[in-house]
Amino acid sequence: MSNLRVKSVLEASSHKAVKVELPKERVERYYGCKVFNRAKMFEYLPRETYDALVEAIDQRKPLSRQLADSVAQGMKQWALDNGARHYTHWFHPLTGSTAEKHDAFIEHDGKGGVVENFSGKLLVQQEPDASSFPNGGIRNTFEARGYSAWDISSPAFIDDNTLCIPTVFISYTGESLDYKTPLLRAINSVDKAATKVVNLFDPSVKHVYSYLGWEQEYFLVDEALYAARPDLVMTGRTLMGHESAKNQQLEDHYFGSIPSRVEAFMLELEIECHKLGIPVKTRHNEVAPNQFEIAPIFEECNLANDHNLLLMSVMEEVARRHNFRVLFHEKPFAGINGSGKHNNWSLGTDNGVLLFAPGKTPDDNLRFVTFIANVMAAVYKHNGLMKASIITATNAHRLGANEAPPAIISMFLGKQLSNILDKIENRDPDSLKVDSKEKISLDVAQIPELLLDNTDRNRTSPFAFTGNRFEYRAVGSSANNAAALIALNAAVAVQLDEFADKVSKRMAAGDDKTSAILKEVRELIIESKPIHFDGNGYSEEWLEEARKRGLDTETSAPKMYDAYMRPETVEMFEKSGVLSLKEIEARNEVKWEMYTKKIQIESRVIGDLAINHIIPAAVRYQSLLLDNVYKIKQLFSGAKADSISAIDMENIETISDHVAAIKTTVKEMVECRKHANHLDSEREKAIEYHDFVLPKMEKIRRHIDKLELMVDNEIWPLPKYRELLFIR
Ligand code: ADP
Ligand code: MG
């Protein structure tokens, strides 16, 4: 795009830092001011209501209708006092984003006027007309409508003068139509199973919590340049664009100083988050130009995930105020790093013990290796499912590319932990019978407490042990984390449950507790060895090796979803009570449908851009060259004319070749789409889009990117990477 045009596009937005109004108070004063948290409940609810609600939240008990009415009164008053005029049930449909339908706090007063009103009934349950949310056929099959129901474990909050009530979204026959329902079920299931296992060590534990600390990566693009890129606007990524001469080679962006425009955005974002009770703490530049990260202090999984979804929508709003657009797409720009959302995940007891952290006593450390070995086994048995849970049409561009985890799930443990596990594995199992206290002190008692300072952090691993937690790095930046956490928590729950059973069988057969546990742990370590990989995940050798080990190496996203339908997956989900077969089938239909739709839109956009933007520009430039050649031939003659016009002639031909190739490929791509669209099966359709439409898009792009290097910059119709990627 010509410098002049870029300049005028940029002038449309002021690319100066926007001044941010700083709160007059300190953060502890305004933190959570938009949240109906326990302090607000205490202030606005009658004492008995407060006590009963807190007990229901802590003990995960249902709420009586009478109590709901009383809560609704207090919540409404708080919301009105804080400027809210509307309320909404806030839920997470399978589109991956959040949904809300606003209602005003009014009702007829019977005298022709209205009164402000909000009842327990409206708080607890609603029936959004949600027929257009994806449901994989569930509502057709069961002729059931969907309803949303209050999730009391996540506090209500005010966003944009609307009281938002976090809810689950289910069909009348009880099938989940959202992400939250199965996530809550999985959290419950892992609570029960992990409590059983941890009770072997500490009988006083009543609950185990699942924790999540996400790290959200994103790109910022100037709003005016964004608007000049139809592909970014419609698909969230650039479907074409030659690499910029300078991008991330110098690694000068990572942790570099943050541009003042961006810093102003981040500052306002943090203030907004803190008001909403989202404990964001860390911010920095990421590896790619214009790429950044924001991370909170970790929280209980369900709340943390609500906070992440809320953050994403707040980010979009705040970015607009700073004349930016935020890109959550996993791969908005080819040739530079994409964005992920690392999920730091752990389990912890109600008395404050983190179960993936070693402790001070041999018993603590036996507990530590017990939980590590069980996670290894769960991830190993379900590695195909784990991958299916994070793959989407958008994340597929990032996985397997050279800067992100490969499309193989493996587990990084680090040297210290690997040594400990090796020691246990190499024990003669018979020797574990006697003197068990002493044996465990030999094997596992000496674990350094500060595994946290583990410096050999392997960036290429999709699932890494990082001292007191696992970091699931394969999750995509635009994803609802729940998809990954449902699979992970459910698989770990079933694994822990089996473990507890096996240990009690051994004990019933005469083993003491310690040797029963150690023997089972040893078996898990041996059995799940293939998942353990500390090497370079990007190497060719790893792919070969992973195949030999029998890990899932499927690279086609639509085929990865098959992992959900495997008998062992269905059994695991049913056993844990997280998803029924019907739900799994319906969800897979939605996944395939979403995959197809995303590629279909991209394919249409690149087709239009190629024909309406790129080819006309290329032809215009070609005609300039032709004109030049024509004039040369008028002025000079014979060999001289040929030699002077040789380069132009060559370029004219090359442009013709590219234009012709683009035209033919666009036609072929449209034919591929037509063919795919006629297929009945959503799975087959998605596979066709993957196998035939995507490669055509890539081919078109290659030709366009070549043209971008040839055609006069003044004529090129789209902002280029070098213009999009360096915020001034
Ligand atoms: P890094 O980029 O080095 O991985 P960050 O500080 O950016 O680390 O992010 C780490 C994330 O992990 C934060 O959200 C942090 O709160 C979270 N975290 C730390 N300990 C745990 C834990 N035990 N369980 C879950 N999340 C954790
Ligand atoms: Mg991290």
Side-chain angles (χ1 to χ4, degrees), residues 215 293 342 344 457 459 466 469 471 473:
E215 300 164 52
E293 178 185 301
H342 297 177
N344 294 270
R457 285 193 163 195
R459 294 275 158 197
T466 51
R469 62 188 187 268
E471 195 171 323
R473 303 205 182 105

Side-chain angles (χ1 to χ4, degrees), residues 189-414:
S189 167
V190 83
D191 171 12
K192 284 206 191 92
T195 304
K196 231 197 258 179
V197 173
V198 88
N199 283 158
L200 291 167
F201 304 93
D202 178 356
S204 74
V205 170
K206 293 212 172 46
H207 285 293
V208 169
Y209 301 113
S210 172
Y211 292 115
L212 166 66
W214 40 264
E215 300 164 52
Q216 178 73 57
E217 292 180 341
Y218 61 97
F219 280 84
L220 287 177
V221 175
D222 183 274
E223 154 180 89
L225 291 169
Y226 170 91
R229 289 284 312 214
D231 47 356
L232 273 184
V233 175
M234 313 283 267
T235 74
R237 76 171 173 120
T238 54
L239 298 171
M240 55 192 66
H242 198 278
E243 260 184 62
S244 160
K246 171 184 188 288
N247 46 48
Q248 63 189 45
Q249 311 93 321
L250 302 177
E251 297 182 344
D252 50 357
H253 188 67
Y254 192 53
F255 281 18
S257 72
I258 301 172
S260 58
R261 252 187 100 180
V262 177
E263 205 166 317
F265 156 79
M266 287 177 168
L267 179 62
E268 186 173 348
L269 175 63
E270 277 168 5
I271 295 168
E272 287 298 316
C273 283
H274 289 159
K275 287 181 181 169
L276 285 162
I278 308 173
V280 294
K281 184 176 167 70
T282 309
R283 62 180 195 193
H284 59 74
N285 287 2
E286 264 304 326
V287 175
N290 278 16
Q291 192 189 26
F292 308 93
E293 178 185 301
I294 183 163
I297 302 169
F298 70 93
E299 299 175 287
E300 187 280 319
C301 218
N302 175 46
L303 180 62
N305 192 43
D306 280 359
H307 279 165
N308 179 241
L309 291 162
L310 183 55
L311 167 103
M312 289 167 78
S313 78
V314 172
M315 274 174 91
E316 281 174 344
E317 282 170 35
V318 176
R320 280 166 194 257
R321 293 208 280 274
H322 291 257
N323 308 311
F324 285 132
R325 282 306 148 90
V326 51
L327 306 180
F328 289 119
H329 194 290
E330 282 78 0
K331 194 78 180 174
F333 304 98
I336 57 171
N337 279 14
S339 301
K341 182 147 55 192
H342 297 177
N343 275 202
N344 294 270
W345 170 82
S346 67
L347 296 174
T349 64
D350 51 8
N351 57 9
V353 175
L354 283 176
L355 296 172
F356 305 140
K360 291 192 176 67
T361 66
D363 211 41
D364 283 351
N365 288 332
L366 182 59
R367 185 215 65 221
F368 164 67
V369 291
T370 295
F371 276 90
I372 298 287
N374 274 286
V375 174
M376 275 178 75
V379 173
Y380 172 51
K381 285 182 195 161
H382 297 285
N383 71 87
L385 169 70
M386 298 275 292
K387 190 166 70 179
S389 76
I390 52 94
I391 201 74
T392 55
T394 53
N395 202 18
H397 292 291
R398 169 176 163 260
L399 288 194
N402 219 24
E403 93 288 340
I408 302 166
I409 300 294
S410 65
M411 212 158 154
F412 170 85
L413 297 175

Side-chain angles (χ1 to χ4, degrees), residues 7-67:
K7 198 163 162 262
S8 74
V9 165
L10 273 175
E11 271 162 6
S13 87
S14 98
H15 53 275
K16 298 234 157 47
V18 172
K19 195 161 158 36
V20 177
E21 195 79 36
L22 284 175
K24 308 234 164 7
E25 307 158 315
R26 287 160 47 176
V27 60
E28 58 264 42
R29 301 280 304 196
Y30 64 84
Y31 186 86
C33 67
K34 292 182 170 183
V35 185
F36 194 58
N37 56 22
R38 292 194 182 193
K40 300 330 163 354
M41 290 175 191
F42 191 79
E43 189 185 338
Y44 280 88
L45 301 179
R47 188 55 200 262
E48 320 80 76
T49 307
Y50 172 82
D51 288 342
L53 179 59
V54 165
E55 190 185 306
I57 294 170
D58 289 345
Q59 303 305 321
R60 304 175 176 186
K61 283 201 213 145
L63 216 60
S64 75
R65 176 61 197 280
Q66 200 189 1
L67 191 65

